[in-house]
Amino acid sequence: MIFGRPERGVTTVTMPERRTRALRPGRRFDLRSTAMFFGLIAAALVIGGLAVRALAGVVERRPVWAVVLLCLGLAVAVARGRRRRRLSAA
């Protein structure tokens, strides 16, 4: 008999219990967050490329302004770097 009581002298075979891996503490793999991460990286690369392309056009049309803005940006970066070093040393 297939379903129900087995016939006399017939042994039934059961599946062994599968061992599961112990879960590591912390976050598990999530496909949605991974896809979102790569999507944001792709968007940042596209926006960065468009910004570099626009800046290249500005440099071609007005090179003096580009040099002035570059010097101003370097001065701000140096001033911030010096201020941070003083605070961390104190």
Side-chain angles (χ1 to χ4, degrees), residues 12-84:
T12 58
V13 178
T14 59
M15 292 279 299
E17 185 178 329
R18 288 188 181 189
R19 292 182 184 234
T20 57
R21 285 189 276 169
L23 293 177
R24 287 180 267 149
R27 292 180 53 178
R28 294 170 58 190
F29 176 77
D30 185 17
L31 185 61
R32 285 184 191 165
S33 3
T34 304
M36 178 68 81
F37 175 73
F38 282 112
L40 289 174
I41 286 179
L45 284 174
V46 168
I47 291 171
L50 290 174
V52 167
R53 192 172 174 188
L55 286 173
V58 169
V59 168
E60 284 181 5
R61 283 180 266 139
R62 299 188 176 126
V64 175
W65 277 109
V67 171
V68 168
L69 289 175
L70 179 67
C71 291
L72 187 63
L74 284 174
V76 168
V78 168
R80 278 189 167 187
R82 286 185 181 173
R83 189 174 352 145
R84 284 188 183 159

Side-chain angles (χ1 to χ4, degrees), residues 1-2 4-7 9-15:
M1 192 169 192
I2 296 176
R5 261 180 83 190
E7 295 177 21
V10 176
T11 58
T12 58
V13 178
T14 59
M15 292 279 299

